[in-house]
Amino acid sequence: PASKDPAIVEVVKKRFLEAYKTAKTLNVQHLIFHAGLIPKAYYPKEWLNNCMIFWRDFLSYIGDDIEIHIENVCEEDFSLINDLVEAVNSPIFSVCLDIGHGNVNSSRSLEHWIKGLNTNIKYVHLHNNDGLIDSHYGLCRGQINILQTLELLETYAPNAVWSLETKLGETKQSVLLLEQNGFINCEVNK
């Protein structure tokens, strides 16, 4: 979305509209796109301005039936994504915080991210890792303090949807951790 090349921006728009139309046929409520910020590839103001123009235009082509969330990937800090959400200023445009990406790609704490993004976080990808590789471990394995992170999310982003992005073999244990600590109430087949 932030490319200086209009032809690339048009292809991105076309692909994103295809994703939206597919999501609509599947009756999904949330559609997530990576922020596309490659550190040091853009001047921050240029990236922000180009993305703001792209997303305002993109949102004018779609309805308000699906929420669009911008996910952090390689960012060191939350500020540009937050600035983008604030500049676009749409009730269907918000942040998807991927805590694993934040743990691997940022020297800033997840607490810093959560407090800074605050209620602009409307969707969260939950998984864990060792801080070096985005390995998508279950919540019980890795260096992220999951319980503290979940408590922060409940406090600062209380309306965010949580989605597990764990290795399949570690999903059940992750659900149990969430249930045993009062974050969800469900029955897991044993």
Side-chain angles (χ1 to χ4, degrees):
S3 178
K4 297 175 200 173
D5 185 336
I8 291 173
V9 173
E10 279 306 308
V11 169
V12 170
K13 181 178 170 185
K14 178 182 175 192
R15 295 293 185 235
F16 284 12
L17 285 170
E18 288 170 356
Y20 171 78
K21 289 174 187 171
T22 300
K24 195 170 172 95
T25 64
L26 296 172
N27 295 314
V28 302
Q29 297 175 353
H30 305 272
L31 186 57
I32 298 157
F33 294 103
H34 287 172
L37 176 60
I38 301 167
K40 300 181 182 180
Y42 298 99
Y43 294 109
K45 286 182 181 178
E46 175 189 38
W47 180 88
L48 179 60
N49 186 59
N50 292 353
C51 281
M52 180 192 64
I53 291 167
F54 175 88
W55 285 111
R56 283 181 177 170
D57 178 59
F58 180 83
L59 293 177
S60 74
Y61 283 88
I62 67 171
D64 61 359
D65 52 339
I66 298 176
E67 291 184 41
I68 305 296
H69 308 288
I70 302 303
E71 179 180 348
N72 62 301
V73 181
C74 299
E75 294 80 9
E76 167 66 21
D77 189 67
F78 68 84
S79 58
L80 278 175
I81 293 174
N82 200 53
D83 290 349
L84 175 62
V85 168
E86 296 288 333
V88 172
N89 191 26
S90 168
I92 65 164
F93 190 74
S94 62
V95 175
C96 169
L97 176 63
D98 187 302
I99 66 170
H101 292 166
N103 192 50
V104 168
N105 296 317
S106 176
S107 62
R108 306 284 183 133
S109 70
L110 288 172
E111 180 177 3
H112 170 81
W113 280 78
I114 294 166
K115 286 180 176 180
L117 290 168
N118 211 297
T119 57
N120 280 336
I121 302 169
K122 299 290 187 200
Y123 206 92
V124 181
H125 285 161
L126 296 175
H127 53 101
N128 211 326
N129 59 50
D130 61 7
L132 301 174
I133 297 173
D134 186 30
S135 49
H136 288 259
Y137 295 150
L139 301 182
C140 303
R141 178 166 64 123
Q143 71 170 198
I144 297 172
N145 182 333
I146 290 295
L147 295 179
Q148 176 190 26
T149 300
L150 296 175
E151 288 169 5
L152 286 164
L153 287 166
E154 278 195 328
T155 300
Y156 293 95
N159 298 317
V161 173
W162 295 358
S163 175
L164 287 173
E165 271 199 340
T166 61
K167 292 179 180 284
L168 186 56
E170 299 180 32
T171 301
K172 184 175 178 180
Q173 187 180 21
S174 297
V175 170
L176 286 171
L177 178 137
L178 291 169
E179 186 176 34
Q180 290 168 352
N181 288 281
F183 293 105
I184 61 172
N185 184 12
C186 68
E187 281 293 316
V188 178
N189 295 329
K190 297 181 179 179

